[in-house]
PDB file of all heavy atoms in Angstrom:
ATOM      1  N   ILE A   1       8.888  -2.635  15.463  1.00  0.00           N
ATOM      2  CA  ILE A   1       9.542  -3.531  16.539  1.00  0.00           C
ATOM      3  C   ILE A   1      10.854  -2.926  17.011  1.00  0.00           C
ATOM      4  O   ILE A   1      11.578  -2.367  16.220  1.00  0.00           O
ATOM      5  CB  ILE A   1       9.620  -5.000  16.054  1.00  0.00           C
ATOM      6  CG1 ILE A   1      10.045  -5.832  17.268  1.00  0.00           C
ATOM      7  CG2 ILE A   1      10.503  -5.082  14.815  1.00  0.00           C
ATOM      8  CD1 ILE A   1       9.922  -7.353  17.028  1.00  0.00           C
ATOM      9  N   GLY A   2      11.124  -3.069  18.297  1.00  0.00           N
ATOM     10  CA  GLY A   2      12.371  -2.537  18.793  1.00  0.00           C
ATOM     11  C   GLY A   2      12.510  -2.618  20.307  1.00  0.00           C
ATOM     12  O   GLY A   2      11.765  -3.403  20.901  1.00  0.00           O
ATOM     13  N   ASP A   3      13.444  -1.920  20.790  1.00  0.00           N
ATOM     14  CA  ASP A   3      13.667  -1.956  22.275  1.00  0.00           C
ATOM     15  C   ASP A   3      12.494  -1.255  23.007  1.00  0.00           C
ATOM     16  O   ASP A   3      12.049  -0.196  22.552  1.00  0.00           O
ATOM     17  CB  ASP A   3      14.958  -1.208  22.654  1.00  0.00           C
ATOM     18  CG  ASP A   3      16.170  -1.746  21.970  1.00  0.00           C
ATOM     19  OD1 ASP A   3      16.457  -2.923  22.060  1.00  0.00           O
ATOM     20  OD2 ASP A   3      16.848  -0.966  21.235  1.00  0.00           O
ATOM     21  N   ALA A   4      12.011  -1.894  24.071  1.00  0.00           N
ATOM     22  CA  ALA A   4      10.967  -1.187  24.839  1.00  0.00           C
ATOM     23  C   ALA A   4      11.507  -0.016  25.629  1.00  0.00           C
ATOM     24  O   ALA A   4      10.844   0.906  25.962  1.00  0.00           O
ATOM     25  CB  ALA A   4      10.330  -2.197  25.777  1.00  0.00           C
ATOM     26  N   SER A   5      12.838  -0.127  25.954  1.00  0.00           N
ATOM     27  CA  SER A   5      13.517   1.036  26.645  1.00  0.00           C
ATOM     28  C   SER A   5      14.996   0.961  26.240  1.00  0.00           C
ATOM     29  O   SER A   5      15.466  -0.082  25.612  1.00  0.00           O
ATOM     30  CB  SER A   5      13.324   0.952  28.176  1.00  0.00           C
ATOM     31  OG  SER A   5      13.975  -0.244  28.588  1.00  0.00           O
ATOM     32  N   ALA A   6      15.706   1.983  26.609  1.00  0.00           N
ATOM     33  CA  ALA A   6      17.141   1.971  26.228  1.00  0.00           C
ATOM     34  C   ALA A   6      17.941   0.820  27.035  1.00  0.00           C
ATOM     35  O   ALA A   6      17.718   0.723  28.202  1.00  0.00           O
ATOM     36  CB  ALA A   6      17.718   3.316  26.579  1.00  0.00           C
ATOM     37  N   VAL A   7      18.714   0.083  26.253  1.00  0.00           N
ATOM     38  CA  VAL A   7      19.487  -1.011  26.890  1.00  0.00           C
ATOM     39  C   VAL A   7      20.874  -0.916  26.363  1.00  0.00           C
ATOM     40  O   VAL A   7      21.185  -0.390  25.301  1.00  0.00           O
ATOM     41  CB  VAL A   7      18.867  -2.371  26.583  1.00  0.00           C
ATOM     42  CG1 VAL A   7      17.593  -2.612  27.187  1.00  0.00           C
ATOM     43  CG2 VAL A   7      18.792  -2.610  25.005  1.00  0.00           C
ATOM     44  N   ALA A   8      21.864  -1.443  27.101  1.00  0.00           N
ATOM     45  CA  ALA A   8      23.229  -1.463  26.727  1.00  0.00           C
ATOM     46  C   ALA A   8      23.693  -2.874  26.223  1.00  0.00           C
ATOM     47  O   ALA A   8      24.798  -3.037  25.876  1.00  0.00           O
ATOM     48  CB  ALA A   8      24.122  -1.134  27.942  1.00  0.00           C
ATOM     49  N   SER A   9      22.750  -3.746  26.060  1.00  0.00           N
ATOM     50  CA  SER A   9      23.006  -5.096  25.552  1.00  0.00           C
ATOM     51  C   SER A   9      22.352  -5.308  24.199  1.00  0.00           C
ATOM     52  O   SER A   9      21.397  -4.671  23.842  1.00  0.00           O
ATOM     53  CB  SER A   9      22.639  -6.150  26.505  1.00  0.00           C
ATOM     54  OG  SER A   9      21.239  -6.059  26.738  1.00  0.00           O
ATOM     55  N   GLN A  10      22.864  -6.238  23.439  1.00  0.00           N
ATOM     56  CA  GLN A  10      22.325  -6.564  22.102  1.00  0.00           C
ATOM     57  C   GLN A  10      21.357  -7.721  22.273  1.00  0.00           C
ATOM     58  O   GLN A  10      21.453  -8.481  23.234  1.00  0.00           O
ATOM     59  CB  GLN A  10      23.399  -6.810  21.075  1.00  0.00           C
ATOM     60  CG  GLN A  10      24.178  -8.141  21.417  1.00  0.00           C
ATOM     61  CD  GLN A  10      25.308  -8.217  20.331  1.00  0.00           C
ATOM     62  OE1 GLN A  10      25.760  -7.360  19.785  1.00  0.00           O
ATOM     63  NE2 GLN A  10      25.733  -9.453  20.227  1.00  0.00           N
ATOM     64  N   TRP A  11      20.454  -7.809  21.287  1.00  0.00           N
ATOM     65  CA  TRP A  11      19.598  -8.978  21.219  1.00  0.00           C
ATOM     66  C   TRP A  11      19.302  -9.310  19.757  1.00  0.00           C
ATOM     67  O   TRP A  11      19.507  -8.487  19.006  1.00  0.00           O
ATOM     68  CB  TRP A  11      18.234  -8.735  22.031  1.00  0.00           C
ATOM     69  CG  TRP A  11      17.467  -7.530  21.685  1.00  0.00           C
ATOM     70  CD1 TRP A  11      17.682  -6.230  22.180  1.00  0.00           C
ATOM     71  CD2 TRP A  11      16.407  -7.419  20.762  1.00  0.00           C
ATOM     72  NE1 TRP A  11      16.755  -5.348  21.632  1.00  0.00           N
ATOM     73  CE2 TRP A  11      15.976  -5.982  20.726  1.00  0.00           C
ATOM     74  CE3 TRP A  11      15.689  -8.312  20.001  1.00  0.00           C
ATOM     75  CZ2 TRP A  11      14.975  -5.606  19.953  1.00  0.00           C
ATOM     76  CZ3 TRP A  11      14.690  -7.873  19.202  1.00  0.00           C
ATOM     77  CH2 TRP A  11      14.329  -6.515  19.215  1.00  0.00           C
ATOM     78  N   THR A  12      18.858 -10.527  19.562  1.00  0.00           N
ATOM     79  CA  THR A  12      18.716 -11.026  18.205  1.00  0.00           C
ATOM     80  C   THR A  12      17.280 -11.497  18.026  1.00  0.00           C
ATOM     81  O   THR A  12      16.812 -12.362  18.754  1.00  0.00           O
ATOM     82  CB  THR A  12      19.657 -12.134  17.929  1.00  0.00           C
ATOM     83  OG1 THR A  12      20.963 -11.746  18.093  1.00  0.00           O
ATOM     84  CG2 THR A  12      19.482 -12.604  16.465  1.00  0.00           C
ATOM     85  N   LEU A  13      16.652 -10.925  17.005  1.00  0.00           N
ATOM     86  CA  LEU A  13      15.236 -11.310  16.651  1.00  0.00           C
ATOM     87  C   LEU A  13      15.338 -12.315  15.450  1.00  0.00           C
ATOM     88  O   LEU A  13      15.999 -12.012  14.545  1.00  0.00           O
ATOM     89  CB  LEU A  13      14.421 -10.118  16.227  1.00  0.00           C
ATOM     90  CG  LEU A  13      12.989 -10.353  15.688  1.00  0.00           C
ATOM     91  CD1 LEU A  13      12.112 -10.797  16.879  1.00  0.00           C
ATOM     92  CD2 LEU A  13      12.421  -9.192  15.007  1.00  0.00           C
ATOM     93  N   HIS A  14      14.697 -13.454  15.617  1.00  0.00           N
ATOM     94  CA  HIS A  14      14.669 -14.474  14.557  1.00  0.00           C
ATOM     95  C   HIS A  14      13.382 -14.430  13.769  1.00  0.00           C
ATOM     96  O   HIS A  14      13.435 -14.590  12.584  1.00  0.00           O
ATOM     97  CB  HIS A  14      14.838 -15.880  15.162  1.00  0.00           C
ATOM     98  CG  HIS A  14      16.147 -16.088  15.838  1.00  0.00           C
ATOM     99  ND1 HIS A  14      17.275 -16.208  15.086  1.00  0.00           N
ATOM    100  CD2 HIS A  14      16.557 -16.079  17.113  1.00  0.00           C
ATOM    101  CE1 HIS A  14      18.339 -16.396  15.885  1.00  0.00           C
ATOM    102  NE2 HIS A  14      17.925 -16.300  17.098  1.00  0.00           N
ATOM    103  N   ALA A  15      12.277 -14.046  14.437  1.00  0.00           N
ATOM    104  CA  ALA A  15      11.045 -13.938  13.760  1.00  0.00           C
ATOM    105  C   ALA A  15      10.039 -13.106  14.516  1.00  0.00           C
ATOM    106  O   ALA A  15      10.050 -13.095  15.709  1.00  0.00           O
ATOM    107  CB  ALA A  15      10.396 -15.294  13.488  1.00  0.00           C
ATOM    108  N   LEU A  16       9.207 -12.378  13.753  1.00  0.00           N
ATOM    109  CA  LEU A  16       8.109 -11.624  14.299  1.00  0.00           C
ATOM    110  C   LEU A  16       6.910 -12.258  13.519  1.00  0.00           C
ATOM    111  O   LEU A  16       6.820 -12.234  12.292  1.00  0.00           O
ATOM    112  CB  LEU A  16       8.143 -10.150  13.995  1.00  0.00           C
ATOM    113  CG  LEU A  16       6.862  -9.329  14.179  1.00  0.00           C
ATOM    114  CD1 LEU A  16       6.586  -9.318  15.713  1.00  0.00           C
ATOM    115  CD2 LEU A  16       7.094  -7.910  13.741  1.00  0.00           C
ATOM    116  N   GLN A  17       5.975 -12.778  14.325  1.00  0.00           N
ATOM    117  CA  GLN A  17       4.772 -13.369  13.677  1.00  0.00           C
ATOM    118  C   GLN A  17       3.539 -12.452  14.030  1.00  0.00           C
ATOM    119  O   GLN A  17       3.317 -12.192  15.279  1.00  0.00           O
ATOM    120  CB  GLN A  17       4.549 -14.741  14.185  1.00  0.00           C
ATOM    121  CG  GLN A  17       3.288 -15.439  13.747  1.00  0.00           C
ATOM    122  CD  GLN A  17       3.096 -16.852  14.227  1.00  0.00           C
ATOM    123  OE1 GLN A  17       3.707 -17.195  15.177  1.00  0.00           O
ATOM    124  NE2 GLN A  17       2.161 -17.593  13.633  1.00  0.00           N
ATOM    125  N   VAL A  18       2.842 -12.048  13.069  1.00  0.00           N
ATOM    126  CA  VAL A  18       1.643 -11.298  13.256  1.00  0.00           C
ATOM    127  C   VAL A  18       0.457 -11.972  12.648  1.00  0.00           C
ATOM    128  O   VAL A  18       0.478 -12.111  11.391  1.00  0.00           O
ATOM    129  CB  VAL A  18       1.778  -9.812  12.631  1.00  0.00           C
ATOM    130  CG1 VAL A  18       0.552  -9.033  12.865  1.00  0.00           C
ATOM    131  CG2 VAL A  18       3.071  -9.104  13.261  1.00  0.00           C
ATOM    132  N   ARG A  19      -0.488 -12.360  13.378  1.00  0.00           N
ATOM    133  CA  ARG A  19      -1.620 -13.111  12.909  1.00  0.00           C
ATOM    134  C   ARG A  19      -2.679 -12.044  12.634  1.00  0.00           C
ATOM    135  O   ARG A  19      -3.147 -11.295  13.533  1.00  0.00           O
ATOM    136  CB  ARG A  19      -2.098 -14.177  13.888  1.00  0.00           C
ATOM    137  CG  ARG A  19      -3.185 -15.111  13.204  1.00  0.00           C
ATOM    138  CD  ARG A  19      -3.294 -16.344  14.038  1.00  0.00           C
ATOM    139  NE  ARG A  19      -3.808 -16.083  15.361  1.00  0.00           N
ATOM    140  CZ  ARG A  19      -5.073 -16.309  15.764  1.00  0.00           C
ATOM    141  NH1 ARG A  19      -5.957 -16.767  14.951  1.00  0.00           N
ATOM    142  NH2 ARG A  19      -5.444 -16.115  16.980  1.00  0.00           N
ATOM    143  N   THR A  20      -3.230 -12.158  11.449  1.00  0.00           N
ATOM    144  CA  THR A  20      -4.292 -11.168  11.006  1.00  0.00           C
ATOM    145  C   THR A  20      -5.543 -11.904  10.614  1.00  0.00           C
ATOM    146  O   THR A  20      -5.504 -13.137  10.323  1.00  0.00           O
ATOM    147  CB  THR A  20      -3.776 -10.272   9.747  1.00  0.00           C
ATOM    148  OG1 THR A  20      -3.583 -11.080   8.718  1.00  0.00           O
ATOM    149  CG2 THR A  20      -2.572  -9.455  10.182  1.00  0.00           C
ATOM    150  N   LYS A  21      -6.652 -11.182  10.494  1.00  0.00           N
ATOM    151  CA  LYS A  21      -7.826 -11.675   9.910  1.00  0.00           C
ATOM    152  C   LYS A  21      -8.481 -10.531   9.064  1.00  0.00           C
ATOM    153  O   LYS A  21      -8.305  -9.378   9.421  1.00  0.00           O
ATOM    154  CB  LYS A  21      -8.764 -12.332  10.859  1.00  0.00           C
ATOM    155  CG  LYS A  21      -9.521 -11.239  11.767  1.00  0.00           C
ATOM    156  CD  LYS A  21     -10.502 -11.977  12.692  1.00  0.00           C
ATOM    157  CE  LYS A  21     -11.383 -11.082  13.525  1.00  0.00           C
ATOM    158  NZ  LYS A  21     -12.330 -11.747  14.352  1.00  0.00           N
ATOM    159  N   ARG A  22      -9.170 -10.948   8.092  1.00  0.00           N
ATOM    160  CA  ARG A  22      -9.845  -9.885   7.330  1.00  0.00           C
ATOM    161  C   ARG A  22     -11.049  -9.335   8.064  1.00  0.00           C
ATOM    162  O   ARG A  22     -11.878 -10.058   8.642  1.00  0.00           O
ATOM    163  CB  ARG A  22     -10.405 -10.576   6.041  1.00  0.00           C
ATOM    164  CG  ARG A  22     -10.880  -9.603   5.012  1.00  0.00           C
ATOM    165  CD  ARG A  22     -11.213 -10.323   3.712  1.00  0.00           C
ATOM    166  NE  ARG A  22     -11.829  -9.293   2.810  1.00  0.00           N
ATOM    167  CZ  ARG A  22     -11.139  -8.704   1.826  1.00  0.00           C
ATOM    168  NH1 ARG A  22      -9.898  -8.937   1.649  1.00  0.00           N
ATOM    169  NH2 ARG A  22     -11.816  -7.896   1.060  1.00  0.00           N
ATOM    170  N   GLY A  23     -11.129  -7.993   8.069  1.00  0.00           N
ATOM    171  CA  GLY A  23     -12.268  -7.293   8.662  1.00  0.00           C
ATOM    172  C   GLY A  23     -13.432  -7.065   7.799  1.00  0.00           C
ATOM    173  O   GLY A  23     -13.589  -7.836   6.791  1.00  0.00           O
ATOM    174  N   ALA A  24     -14.097  -6.020   8.020  1.00  0.00           N
ATOM    175  CA  ALA A  24     -15.295  -5.665   7.242  1.00  0.00           C
ATOM    176  C   ALA A  24     -14.968  -5.248   5.824  1.00  0.00           C
ATOM    177  O   ALA A  24     -13.902  -4.723   5.570  1.00  0.00           O
ATOM    178  CB  ALA A  24     -16.058  -4.527   7.948  1.00  0.00           C
ATOM    179  N   THR A  25     -15.857  -5.574   4.900  1.00  0.00           N
ATOM    180  CA  THR A  25     -15.733  -5.149   3.520  1.00  0.00           C
ATOM    181  C   THR A  25     -16.426  -3.800   3.424  1.00  0.00           C
ATOM    182  O   THR A  25     -17.471  -3.584   3.908  1.00  0.00           O
ATOM    183  CB  THR A  25     -16.371  -6.139   2.549  1.00  0.00           C
ATOM    184  OG1 THR A  25     -15.756  -7.415   2.759  1.00  0.00           O
ATOM    185  CG2 THR A  25     -16.179  -5.798   1.105  1.00  0.00           C
ATOM    186  N   ARG A  26     -15.678  -2.887   2.748  1.00  0.00           N
ATOM    187  CA  ARG A  26     -16.268  -1.579   2.547  1.00  0.00           C
ATOM    188  C   ARG A  26     -16.731  -1.282   1.181  1.00  0.00           C
ATOM    189  O   ARG A  26     -16.327  -1.798   0.217  1.00  0.00           O
ATOM    190  CB  ARG A  26     -15.264  -0.495   2.895  1.00  0.00           C
ATOM    191  CG  ARG A  26     -14.810  -0.541   4.364  1.00  0.00           C
ATOM    192  CD  ARG A  26     -13.880   0.536   4.727  1.00  0.00           C
ATOM    193  NE  ARG A  26     -13.576   0.416   6.164  1.00  0.00           N
ATOM    194  CZ  ARG A  26     -12.786   1.245   6.795  1.00  0.00           C
ATOM    195  NH1 ARG A  26     -12.332   2.302   6.194  1.00  0.00           N
ATOM    196  NH2 ARG A  26     -12.626   1.153   8.055  1.00  0.00           N
TER     197      ARG A  26
END
């Protein structure tokens, strides 16, 4: 996670949520 492009301003991330599910069993 990060800046999509160079910026001169700051930003604050409070949370990154990634929803997953179990895939195939090998």
Side-chain angles (χ1 to χ4, degrees):
I1 186 163
D3 303 303
S5 62
V7 293
S9 58
Q10 65 183 23
W11 54 276
T12 302
L13 177 71
H14 295 286
L16 167 65
Q17 179 181 13
V18 179
R19 191 163 63 102
T20 63
K21 72 177 186 177
R22 189 173 175 98
T25 302
R26 294 184 179 185

